[in-house]
Amino acid sequence: MPPKKVAAVVNEYRKWSHADVILRNLLSGYPDGSRPNMQLVSLVTDQVPKNDMSRDLAKKYGFKICDTVADALTLGGKRLAVEGVLSIGEHGHYPTNEKGQLLYPRRRFVESICEVFEKTKSSVPVFNDKHLAATWDDAKWMYDRARKLFVPFLAGSSIPVTWRKPNVVLPKGCELVGAVQIGYGPFEGYGFHALEGLQCMAERRKGGETGVTAVTCHTGKAMWEALDAHTWTKPLLEAGLKRATAHAPGDMRALTAKAADAGSFEIEYRDGFRAFVVLPNGWVHENEGSPFIFAGQRKGADKPDVCQFYLQQPDPFAHFAELTKAIDSLVGTGHAPYPVERTLLTTGVLDAAMTSRHEKGKRIETPHLTIAYTPTEWGPAKGEVPKSEKR
């Protein structure tokens, strides 16, 4: 079967940018030597830094550098000329709003893509890297626009598809008492990854996903007071932190109280389930595989289900190969391997958390996050993690 021709719209294309670690799999294959059934035929770069790689790669691999999204999707003609689009709106230099949200041009990219679909009266699968947009209004617009044009749509983080150590896959329909997801790093950018880790587990609880009622962002002492208010949180947090092997010496609570970007997201689900994302920045360090760690307690279970979402780094960042495999399935079948509604929900939760932090820990009610969906069985990576090496 000939490879599917795809276009990519990216913020910037430099070494180790998301454009690089995803598109390299199309150009030179996966770390294990196999290849996706996709061929990059055109590329638009919104910004071109001094260390841009795209122009040299275009000469080497023969894809077209385009000035506009329309040109990339039609290859200069009047009809849609590609079978899939990758929108990678990550990295580059963009403004930040008063809430601390990075205003990447993800909605603008999808608007331009959908304009071509509407004009040519045809559409193809689209992948949107990471959360849909900084704000809920933009994210919902993107989701609704894709649905109106019957676009097979996929989005999200590499966290749900990477290796899990141990390989915990919660049984569908399990009764979860509560869950804690540990993360680290930049509050918005990596807080999203932690939310995706939490959600790919929480969505498997009894009754399926029905949405979120309220979100509260806790910082300083309130971060720990909120966690201490529940009997199930302490054992889950302690079980998860045992896998965070790299951390600063000293008292975790004292260190996180001093860190400007430490905090937690308290998430109240519509069915009564409650979970926390904990970002103990100032104490936790990036360790082998990453400190993205899930801990959940199932009703009647003797001990929590705990796993580390393992990120292979440095090069070749093989967890992005696992994400590319999901994109390959999307483009090849015309169906998203897992629901875009998961990322619509995590995007909305993140926006509410950033609003709550901006409003000094106010509880943000989220009636707009009445988002119901059923999880699929597209699970984590299998087999051994490839050895790190320079590519």
Side-chain angles (χ1 to χ4, degrees):
M1 183 183 299
K4 301 282 188 178
K5 296 179 180 179
V6 300
V9 185
V10 309
N11 282 359
E12 65 174 15
Y13 200 139
R14 56 166 175 77
K15 187 176 182 180
W16 295 351
S17 65
H18 275 211
D20 172 32
V21 296
I22 294 173
L23 296 178
R24 63 167 63 175
N25 296 302
L26 279 64
L27 300 177
S28 56
Y30 296 130
D32 65 3
S34 63
R35 302 186 67 91
N37 192 42
M38 295 184 288
Q39 177 189 359
L40 182 66
V41 295
S42 57
L43 177 78
V44 178
T45 54
D46 197 52
Q47 297 180 354
V48 185
K50 291 182 180 179
N51 56 347
D52 172 77
M53 299 168 59
S54 65
R55 274 57 183 170
D56 289 340
L57 288 171
K59 294 175 183 177
K60 181 178 180 179
Y61 291 101
F63 59 85
K64 181 181 179 182
I65 298 291
C66 302
D67 292 330
T68 67
V69 171
D71 189 31
L73 271 59
T74 63
L75 297 179
K78 294 183 179 180
R79 295 183 178 182
L80 192 61
V82 297
E83 298 164 279
V85 185
L86 281 65
S87 179
I88 307 175
E90 181 73 4
H91 297 124
H93 297 284
Y94 294 91
T96 300
N97 66 14
E98 70 280 0
K99 297 179 186 178
Q101 295 168 298
L102 262 167
L103 302 179
Y104 288 134
R106 293 174 186 159
R107 171 172 169 164
R108 172 160 58 87
F109 286 178
V110 169
E111 276 192 271
S112 297
I113 292 164
C114 288
E115 283 176 6
V116 176
F117 291 167
E118 191 165 50
K119 187 174 182 179
T120 60
K121 294 181 172 57
S122 55
S123 61
V124 296
V126 174
F127 167 73
N128 181 93
D129 187 37
K130 288 193 70 176
H131 44 304
L132 291 172
T135 67
W136 167 253
D137 287 345
D138 281 352
K140 187 61 163 55
W141 184 94
M142 293 162 68
Y143 175 79
D144 289 343
R145 182 69 163 146
R147 283 176 60 86
K148 183 178 180 180
L149 295 175
F150 300 99
V151 177
F153 200 22
L154 180 68
S157 165
S158 61
I159 294 291
V161 297
T162 195
W163 293 265
R164 297 176 193 172
K165 294 191 173 184
N167 188 28
V168 174
V169 177
L170 295 178
K172 197 172 178 180
C174 66
E175 292 191 60
L176 276 176
V177 176
V180 171
Q181 173 72 40
I182 298 167
Y184 78 109
F187 206 82
E188 181 195 23
Y190 279 35
F192 169 73
H193 288 307
L195 282 168
E196 288 265 291
L198 169 66
Q199 191 58 34
C200 74
M201 305 296 251
E203 68 189 16
R204 300 183 67 80
R205 69 190 184 278
K206 185 178 180 180
E209 188 52 68
T210 58
V212 169
T213 298
V215 179
T216 309
C217 179
H218 304 287
T219 57
K221 291 182 179 179
M223 172 181 173
W224 300 106
E225 290 171 353
L227 286 160
D228 291 341
H230 305 277
T231 57
W232 51 267
T233 50
K234 184 178 180 180
L236 291 184
L237 184 61
E238 289 179 348
L241 289 173
K242 289 178 181 178
R243 294 189 173 272
T245 55
H247 57 79
D251 180 70
M252 177 172 58
R253 297 191 176 209
L255 290 169
T256 54
K258 297 176 183 177
D261 57 350
S264 65
F265 309 155
E266 182 175 2
I267 305 161
E268 302 171 48
Y269 288 83
R270 290 178 55 79
D271 61 359
F273 180 66
R274 190 179 299 248
F276 283 85
V277 166
V278 181
L279 305 172
N281 291 319
W283 180 80
V284 72
H285 294 163
E286 185 172 3
N287 63 321
E288 180 187 354
S290 91
F292 288 110
I293 301 159
F294 170 85
Q297 182 63 53
R298 281 187 282 161
K299 185 177 181 180
D302 294 336
K303 58 183 181 179
D305 293 293
V306 183
C307 71
Q308 174 194 40
F309 294 96
Y310 191 92
L311 304 183
Q312 192 276 337
Q313 50 193 339
D315 258 356
F317 297 99
H319 51 289
F320 282 101
E322 297 303 315
L323 182 60
T324 306
K325 291 174 185 177
I327 301 167
D328 191 35
S329 177
L330 168 76
V331 174
T333 66
H335 298 281
Y338 41 89
V340 71
E341 286 80 7
R342 175 201 290 164
T343 301
L344 180 66
L345 183 59
T346 56
T347 298
V349 170
L350 181 62
D351 182 38
M354 296 298 288
T355 300
S356 175
R357 185 177 75 156
H358 181 65
E359 298 186 12
K360 303 186 185 305
K362 178 182 177 181
R363 179 177 178 269
I364 304 298
E365 295 187 359
T366 55
H368 55 287
L369 297 185
T370 305
I371 300 169
Y373 68 91
T374 301
T376 68
E377 296 306 315
W378 187 281
K382 298 177 181 179
E384 294 298 318
V385 180
K387 292 181 180 179
S388 296
E389 59 184 50
K390 296 296 181 182
R391 296 184 81 191

